[in-house]
Amino acid sequence: MASAKPDSFAIAIAQPIVRTDPDHSANVSHAVTLIERAAACGADLVLFPEHSPGPFREGQNYDASKALADAAIAHHINVVWSRMEECADDLWRLVVYVVGRDGSTVFRYERTHPATVPSADTGGFVAPGSELGSFEIEGIPIGIAVCSELWIPETTRVLALRGAEIILSPAGGHFTALTKNWQVLARARAIENHCYVALTNNVYGAEQGAAMIAGPEHVLVEAGRAELAVATVDLKRARWLRDTDDSLAEPKPFDSIPGLLRARRPALYDELVSARDDDFDYDGNR
């Protein structure tokens, strides 16, 4: 008999201040420290930002995998981290790794929607992955939407339709003027999909961080400039919102309209899966 899904799950969002001296490999030992801190706070999972602890870009040659797997085992916590990686086809991609409490790789996700910034401005071509990021850990269906993938609503909607109750959104940082709207979108994705969105980013210099955990009705925590924040998500409540239809009852027993995934009319949405002449060329952005 399958075990029941957990009704709650504690998530730590790591928002590290980026280390560059003497080189980016210094971010690995700092990540291990944050893993230890997250576990001490009772977190079941700790989420690191995009390409953290790295390598951050093509040409850096350190490997964080063993140190993070060892830390997951030592502190009995799930760890989600990422790096730029040269894949089997000799192309570079942003790859997210989900490491279980036993140090094993639970899931590997190649970012499907790399940034649409010209590759000449970012230091090299980043190839797209081919599959959206859905996995399950400890009985909980989870999705991954990296950085600007959160701005494309189809990605998180598909993840939610696959059952994701938590969407992890590791982002790169350097948000500056985009910070507030990025947080608005994290909230919107949580509300419209009746799930929890854990957003985090790297912090460079004196900029304000955007890391937060948003729920379908409320924001649970914002990190500000702190390098770590923890919140426990109420999965039972999210399931209730998904399974319940709207109501005119007063006082309302909800702070967000329930039943949104049930209220869809897919027959009307053909345009969402139709190509356009001006679609961005992810494979040709070289």
Side-chain angles (χ1 to χ4, degrees), residues 154 158 264 266 268-276 279:
E154 291 87 349
V158 170
R264 297 168 58 256
L268 302 181
Y269 310 148
D270 286 349
E271 288 87 350
L272 291 177
V273 293
S274 299
R276 290 164 42 116
D279 283 344

Side-chain angles (χ1 to χ4, degrees), residues 188-250:
R189 300 295 169 255
I191 291 167
E192 69 195 8
N193 292 305
H194 293 149
C195 67
Y196 293 89
V197 173
L199 166 68
T200 192
N201 57 275
N202 298 288
V203 171
Y204 295 87
E207 72 174 315
Q208 179 73 9
M212 67 189 306
I213 298 175
E217 295 175 288
H218 309 286
V219 172
L220 277 64
V221 67
E222 293 185 55
R225 277 195 47 87
E227 290 194 288
L228 193 74
V230 182
T232 298
V233 302
D234 185 348
L235 299 173
K236 186 176 181 180
R237 178 63 176 177
R239 292 168 196 150
W240 182 87
L241 288 167
R242 286 187 174 182
D243 293 342
T244 302
D245 291 330
D246 199 0
S247 168
L248 295 178
E250 290 290 349

Side-chain angles (χ1 to χ4, degrees), residues 51-69:
H51 51 63
S52 178
F56 281 57
R57 60 181 61 89
E58 179 180 346
Q60 296 176 342
N61 59 5
Y62 61 93
D63 186 356
S65 57
K66 185 178 188 306
L68 300 187

Side-chain angles (χ1 to χ4, degrees), residues 252-274:
K252 293 192 182 299
F254 45 76
D255 289 341
S256 292
I257 294 175
L260 294 176
L261 296 182
R262 290 162 42 83
R264 297 168 58 256
R265 296 183 63 194
L268 302 181
Y269 310 148
D270 286 349
E271 288 87 350
L272 291 177
V273 293
S274 299

Side-chain angles (χ1 to χ4, degrees), residues 43-210:
D44 295 300
L45 179 148
V46 56
L47 172 67
F48 284 90
E50 183 184 20
H51 51 63
S52 178
F56 281 57
R57 60 181 61 89
E58 179 180 346
Q60 296 176 342
N61 59 5
Y62 61 93
D63 186 356
S65 57
K66 185 178 188 306
L68 300 187
D70 288 348
I73 296 169
H75 302 292
H76 194 57
I77 188 172
N78 301 290
V79 177
V80 182
W81 65 284
S82 61
R83 66 185 181 190
M84 286 296 299
E85 180 178 316
E86 187 173 17
C87 298
D89 57 4
D90 299 325
L91 295 175
W92 287 83
R93 293 182 176 86
L94 188 284
V95 180
V96 180
Y97 285 92
V98 180
V99 178
R101 298 181 196 260
D102 62 356
S104 65
T105 297
V106 174
F107 186 66
R108 178 182 180 277
Y109 171 61
E110 298 178 357
R111 180 177 173 177
T112 54
H113 301 72
T116 53
V117 177
S119 60
D121 295 343
T122 59
F125 172 65
V126 179
S130 58
E131 295 288 341
L132 294 179
S134 299
F135 68 99
E136 187 172 295
I137 199 162
E138 299 179 13
I140 302 169
I142 298 177
I144 300 176
V146 176
C147 203
S148 58
E149 291 182 331
L150 192 66
W151 289 63
I152 302 173
E154 291 87 349
T155 58
T156 49
R157 176 50 56 91
V158 170
L159 295 174
L161 291 173
R162 291 178 180 179
E165 298 175 343
I166 298 169
I167 293 176
L168 305 176
S169 188
H174 285 309
F175 290 173
T176 60
L178 300 178
T179 297
K180 291 299 183 183
N181 280 343
W182 215 296
Q183 291 178 313
V184 167
L185 283 174
R187 293 197 64 191
R189 300 295 169 255
I191 291 167
E192 69 195 8
N193 292 305
H194 293 149
C195 67
Y196 293 89
V197 173
L199 166 68
T200 192
N201 57 275
N202 298 288
V203 171
Y204 295 87
E207 72 174 315
Q208 179 73 9

